[in-house]
Amino acid sequence: MNDQTPIQDGPNAPQVSPGSGLPPEELDRMTDDIIAALKTVYDPEIPSDIYELGLIYRVDIDDDRNVAIDMTLTAPGCPVAGEMPGWVENAVAAVPGVQSVKATIIFDPPWDQSRMSDEARVALDMW
């Protein structure tokens, strides 16, 4: 999929590549449910979810409802780097209609605090 648009406005909004064969109302529901699922995943060292931290860079939903996620970490040496993609995959796999999920950690572009939402800034007292 080549068409990438933010799934919401804001510094932490990942790019979404929607499946062109999906009805718009189903794509909207799946997108909302995927965001809700991502918001259940937390870095154990940070009291904010990975979505609000801006760690999700891209969500691709193909015509067969397979989901590919590009994500990053706050630091390359994060102690849960090996586990976090599995947490993301498990959370998103529970979304009704999702056939499969693959989360990939990338470091380009590097994460920085400007990607955090206002909600994450409040939780971390980082203004």
Side-chain angles (χ1 to χ4, degrees):
M1 309 266 113
N2 294 330
D3 179 34
Q4 293 189 352
T5 56
I7 47 181
Q8 76 172 32
D9 292 330
N12 64 324
Q15 299 296 311
V16 65
S17 300
S20 61
L22 297 178
E25 57 279 351
E26 181 178 1
L27 181 61
D28 289 346
R29 182 209 46 89
M30 286 184 72
T31 300
D32 290 346
D33 291 350
I34 288 169
I35 291 170
L38 292 169
K39 288 183 172 197
T40 68
V41 180
Y42 284 75
D43 181 322
E45 298 178 330
I46 303 172
S48 186
D49 66 78
I50 63 168
Y51 184 83
E52 296 300 334
L53 284 170
L55 299 181
I56 304 299
Y57 284 177
R58 184 183 66 89
V59 177
D60 180 63
I61 305 168
D62 73 12
D63 292 350
D64 296 322
R65 295 167 184 79
N66 300 307
V67 179
I69 298 171
D70 287 345
M71 62 177 292
T72 195
L73 305 168
T74 55
C78 178
V80 295
E83 299 170 58
M84 194 164 309
W87 299 343
V88 168
E89 291 170 355
N90 290 338
V92 174
V95 170
V98 169
Q99 295 304 308
S100 69
V101 184
K102 177 64 178 159
T104 303
I105 293 181
I106 62 172
F107 292 103
D108 186 28
W111 178 87
D112 65 52
Q113 294 177 4
S114 70
R115 293 195 46 85
M116 293 177 13
S117 70
D118 288 346
E119 181 179 317
R121 291 178 189 284
V122 168
L124 300 174
D125 195 24
M126 296 181 88
W127 288 101

